[in-house]
Amino acid sequence: MTARVIVEKVVSYREVGKFVDKVFDLFSVEDCGFLKPNFLKFDNPENGCITHPEVVKAVLRAAKEHGIELTVIEGGFFKNSAKECFKAFEIEKFAKCVNLNEDEFVEVQIDGKSLKSVKMAKTAVLARNRFISVPKMKVHHLTKVTLGIKNNMGFLKKPAVYMHPGIDQKLVDLLHFTKPKLTIIDGVIAGNSSEMFPRPVKHGVMVASDNVVACDFVAALLMSLNPYEVDHIRIAMESFGLREEDIEVVGKIEPKDYSLSLLSRFLGRFRI
């Protein structure tokens, strides 16, 4: 089955709405009830660390025009990361927002190759396979990239350091339990060098697909990375039976160079 991925040049967050409208016209969002951004920490959206609030608002607006009310769900690295973002960026005026770090957590059986069980926010379990993932395009010291697949880690109880050993297989195990119905990657201003303290890259691109693995594959190409050398993407392709020739790219891939800082490479080498 063909996995269609939309790639479009979007140089300003003022233009994001047009892209999102196109995505909603091309892909089904039926049964979606939740939106999961990457609000790793409270930060200036122009720094390339978190999903830009204008992208979140554009998705909420488009969903509402399709008769869908989405609940925004996120945890973040710190206890109140998501809550601070919800308030400061006025996301609460557009939708119900849930800080997953303050949610009730339940034990969930994953029974994957490496990941057997996790403690997951109850609302995230409710959102299983019914959410739109809206990650930021950026590098990560453990997984090389943090895109749609990695965005699922925000559902887990913190600290989730147990995920670090063998993280690539564990991310794929988690993806088998819950995967987004639609993925929209914010690469207008992306993040280079580090996932926590990135150097912003004005990449001017948005990527979307109803196949998160294909979406991450194309995003990795845009970051001048070989997707087969990004272990969780490679493992996910094998696990879900996705081949490169199955991926139909609508748009032009114009890559920019991304790399990890010396400190990030050091931390990644020692799996810290």
Side-chain angles (χ1 to χ4, degrees):
M1 182 179 292
T2 299
R4 179 180 292 182
V5 181
I6 310 301
V7 180
E8 193 164 301
K9 186 174 183 179
V10 182
V11 297
S12 167
Y13 284 106
R14 292 190 297 272
E15 302 174 9
V16 164
K18 295 178 182 178
F19 175 79
V20 172
D21 287 341
K22 180 184 294 186
V23 170
F24 271 69
D25 288 339
L26 288 172
F27 299 110
S28 171
V29 291
E30 187 179 355
D31 297 330
C32 283
F34 302 86
L35 186 160
K36 166 66 172 70
N38 181 342
F39 286 160
L40 179 67
K41 64 177 183 177
F42 175 63
D43 198 19
N44 183 334
E46 305 296 316
N47 289 341
C49 181
I50 61 174
T51 306
H52 201 287
E54 291 305 315
V55 179
V56 175
K57 292 173 185 177
V59 174
L60 292 172
R61 177 191 54 76
K64 189 168 291 188
E65 290 177 355
H66 282 73
I68 299 169
E69 294 285 344
L70 297 174
T71 298
V72 183
I73 56 174
E74 171 62 316
F77 187 81
F78 303 104
K79 181 179 179 180
N80 292 317
S81 296
K83 181 187 287 187
E84 291 175 353
C85 289
F86 296 154
K87 183 177 181 180
F89 306 138
E90 300 185 328
I91 306 296
E92 297 167 321
K93 293 183 178 180
F94 293 83
K96 178 183 177 182
C97 299
V98 177
N99 176 12
L100 297 180
N101 290 344
E102 296 180 328
D103 204 7
E104 178 185 350
F105 286 87
V106 294
E107 190 81 15
V108 174
Q109 293 302 123
I110 303 298
D111 295 326
K113 287 185 177 180
S114 294
L115 190 64
K116 302 307 178 183
S117 65
V118 294
K119 287 187 177 180
M120 184 177 291
K122 194 172 183 179
T123 304
V125 177
L126 183 64
R128 182 184 182 187
N129 301 328
R130 298 179 51 232
F131 66 98
I132 299 174
S133 185
V134 191
K136 173 63 78 175
M137 180 186 288
K138 58 179 180 173
V139 299
H140 193 280
H141 76 284
L142 288 176
T143 56
K144 294 187 179 178
V145 299
T146 172
L147 300 164
I149 298 172
K150 177 70 171 55
N151 201 31
N152 277 4
M153 270 191 68
F155 293 146
L156 307 182
K157 185 175 177 61
K158 313 299 187 299
V161 292
Y162 61 86
M163 289 287 291
H164 291 185
I167 188 171
D168 296 290
Q169 180 63 58
K170 288 177 179 176
L171 286 174
V172 177
D173 290 343
L174 183 61
L175 188 65
H176 274 284
F177 177 79
T178 183
K179 59 181 180 291
K181 183 110 177 182
L182 178 65
T183 302
I184 302 173
I185 299 176
D186 171 15
V188 179
I189 298 177
N192 201 9
S193 299
S194 161
E195 72 272 13
M196 182 64 80
F197 304 102
R199 179 172 59 82
V201 177
K202 293 184 178 180
H203 199 144
V205 68
M206 295 285 291
V207 190
S209 179
D210 58 359
N211 185 313
V212 63
V213 181
C215 201
D216 281 13
F217 184 96
V218 172
L221 291 174
L222 284 160
M223 299 170 76
S224 297
L225 297 171
N226 181 347
Y228 295 104
E229 294 178 358
V230 180
D231 286 345
H232 66 276
I233 296 178
R234 174 183 55 78
I235 295 169
M237 291 182 71
E238 295 168 356
S239 185
F240 286 91
L242 178 69
R243 303 170 302 169
E244 184 174 358
E245 53 264 39
D246 297 328
I247 301 173
E248 177 193 354
V249 180
V250 179
K252 186 177 180 181
I253 295 178
E254 297 181 352
K256 286 185 180 289
D257 291 329
Y258 288 72
S259 62
L260 288 165
S261 67
L262 182 62
L263 176 60
S264 292
R265 291 198 300 271
F266 173 82
L267 294 174
R269 179 174 298 179
F270 291 96
R271 315 306 289 176
I272 298 173

